[in-house]
Amino acid sequence: MPGMVMIAKRDALNSGLMFRSTDYGATESLVWDNRDYSGGGFTELARSQTTPGTMFATTWYETAAAELLKSDDFGESWTVIDGNDNNHHAMTDVVVAYNNDDILYTFGDGLVAKTEDGGDSWTQVSDGLPSFAGIYDGSISPFSSDMLLISSDAGTYKSIDGGVSWYLIHDSDCKVVEFNSVLPGIAVMVTFANEVLISYDNGETWQAFDGNISADYTDVVYSPNGSTVYISTTSQGIYTTELDLAYVSPSAVTTTVNAFNVTITWNAVDLASGYHIYRGEELVGTTAADELSYMDYYVLPGEYMYTVVSLFNGIEAGVSEPVVASVDENALAIPGNLVYEV
C-alpha cells in the first residue's frame, strides 16, 4: 500500500506498541497496545509475498509466553493466531514462505517452530541446534520454503529440509542473517564483532566485505532489485554496498545480422524467470526462461549495442556485456529453407 509505514516497538518495561501510518509517517495511529504487560514487546514484522495486506508480528516477554500476531488488512487490525502452541517464551523472528502463507517458522530461545496450516498446529524443528544458544534471526530462501538460515550465539546454521535437520555453516556468533529476496544464492550476515559476510552459494561458503561496520547494527535489507545491501546501525546511520551480479548476468551474448533482422543469443542464467533484450537503452523484447534467443526485426541501417538482462520474478537483475551489431543498408537477406529439385 503506497504511503504505509508500520512501526512496532517495545518500551523500557518490555511492553509492546504498534503504530500505522498511511502518509509516509506524517501522521500515525495506534493499532496494538500491550502496556497491560500481556504478550510483551515486539521483535519482528513480516509480510506475505503472495497475499497483499497479510502481515505477521512476534513478541518477547520475560514472564509470559510470547505471541504471534496476524493482520489481513495492511496492519489496521491484529489478532493473536489461534493455536499458537509453539512453546516460545521469547520469539525473536518470524518468516513466511514466499509461495504459501500457511507455512511459517518462528524463532527464539533456542527453538524453531513450524506450521503448515497457518498457525493452527505447530511442530518443533530444532534437531541439530544447540539448546543453550539463543536464536536471534531467521531467513527463508525465496526459491525454496525448505531452505532456511538462522543466526545464534553458537554460529549460523542451515536447513535444507524444512527444519528437520540443521548443520553449522559458520562458527562466528551472529545476530542478523538474511537471504536476498530477489537473487538466488545470496545471503548476508553481520557478526557480533560487526563483521559483514556475504555468501553467493546459499550460505555454504562466506567471504568478508572490505571494511567493517564501526557501530552496532540493527538490521539487513536489500533494494527492490536485490543489487544493493543496506545495513542499519544504532548510531552511525545506514551503511550500503553493491553486490557483484556477474553470476546472474547472461554470458556468451552473440548477434547475427540477416538483412535488417538481428538475432541475439546468450547462455542461460540459473533460476532466471526470463530475460529482457535491449537495443541501446530501448527495451525491444522479452523472453521466457527457456528461450535463449531473440530476433529483432526490421532494424534500420546503423550500428547498435545489444544487452541482455536476466529477470527474477519479473525484476531485472544481471546485465550482460554489450555486443555490437551492424546493419548494412545494402544488405540482402540470407535465403533459408531452399529446396532444389531435379
Side-chain angles (χ1 to χ4, degrees):
M1 176 184 290
M4 192 185 79
V5 178
M6 297 296 303
I7 302 172
K9 63 181 183 179
R10 54 184 178 183
D11 62 17
L13 298 176
N14 202 30
S15 56
L17 297 169
M18 189 186 300
F19 299 88
R20 179 178 184 265
S21 172
T22 57
D23 53 13
Y24 297 101
T27 60
E28 60 187 31
S29 58
L30 181 65
V31 294
W32 190 266
D33 188 347
N34 266 348
R35 281 177 293 185
D36 60 356
Y37 309 114
S38 62
F42 289 102
T43 54
E44 188 61 57
L45 280 170
R47 65 181 178 89
S48 165
Q49 301 295 323
T50 58
T51 308
T54 297
M55 307 172 70
F56 300 89
T58 55
T59 69
W60 180 90
Y61 199 53
E62 292 182 349
T63 59
E67 290 180 335
L68 177 63
L69 280 65
K70 181 180 181 180
S71 171
D72 289 315
D73 55 9
F74 293 94
E76 188 170 354
S77 62
W78 294 80
T79 58
V80 177
I81 292 181
D82 291 335
N84 183 24
D85 184 21
N86 55 20
N87 295 324
H88 282 300
H89 186 71
M91 274 189 284
T92 54
D93 201 4
V94 56
V95 296
V96 191
Y98 278 73
N99 60 352
N100 188 343
D101 290 348
D102 286 335
I103 300 177
L104 303 172
Y105 296 86
T106 56
F107 308 91
D109 39 37
L111 299 174
V112 180
K114 177 182 181 180
T115 179
E116 296 181 281
D117 54 19
D120 289 337
S121 61
W122 292 84
T123 303
Q124 293 292 328
V125 287
S126 305
D127 287 350
L129 297 176
S131 58
F132 64 85
I135 298 173
Y136 298 99
D137 197 22
S139 188
I140 188 168
S141 168
F143 298 91
S144 171
S145 60
D146 287 332
M147 185 179 296
L148 301 123
L149 299 176
I150 62 165
S151 63
S152 75
D153 291 320
T156 303
Y157 286 78
K158 179 179 179 180
S159 174
I160 58 175
D161 53 15
V164 174
S165 60
W166 296 85
Y167 59 95
L168 182 68
I169 56 175
H170 198 279
D171 58 5
S172 294
D173 52 350
C174 171
K175 187 176 183 181
V176 176
V177 61
E178 290 293 340
F179 274 116
N180 193 300
S181 59
V182 177
L183 303 176
I186 292 179
V188 171
M189 71 172 170
V190 186
T191 69
F192 275 106
N194 293 330
E195 181 184 19
V196 182
L197 303 171
I198 183 170
S199 172
Y200 287 95
D201 56 7
N202 291 308
E204 294 298 322
T205 60
W206 297 85
Q207 60 192 60
F209 276 120
D210 292 334
N212 290 330
I213 298 173
S214 59
D216 290 337
Y217 55 89
T218 56
D219 205 359
V220 173
V221 296
Y222 299 89
S223 60
N225 71 347
S227 65
T228 305
V229 182
Y230 298 93
I231 301 176
S232 59
T233 68
T234 56
S235 60
Q236 296 288 328
I238 297 174
Y239 287 73
T240 180
T241 188
E242 297 296 319
L243 296 172
D244 180 4
L245 299 186
Y247 84 108
V248 290
S249 300
S251 61
V253 180
T254 64
T255 58
T256 303
V257 179
N258 182 12
F260 302 108
N261 303 324
V262 180
T263 300
I264 307 96
T265 63
W266 59 91
N267 287 345
V269 174
D270 190 31
L271 297 178
S273 60
Y275 303 91
H276 278 168
I277 298 87
Y278 284 85
R279 185 198 322 126
E281 296 183 357
E282 179 185 359
L283 175 63
V284 294
T286 302
T287 71
D290 57 351
E291 299 174 2
L292 303 179
S293 67
Y294 178 81
M295 182 173 286
D296 191 13
Y297 290 97
Y298 309 119
V299 181
L300 294 176
E303 188 172 88
Y304 300 93
M305 198 79 71
Y306 285 89
T307 53
V308 182
V309 181
S310 59
L311 303 175
F312 292 89
N313 295 321
I315 299 174
E316 290 190 341
V319 181
S320 74
E321 292 293 327
V323 177
V324 175
S326 297
V327 178
D328 188 345
E329 63 180 359
N330 298 315
L332 296 176
I334 300 173
N337 299 319
L338 295 179
V339 177
Y340 177 73
E341 294 182 358
V342 179

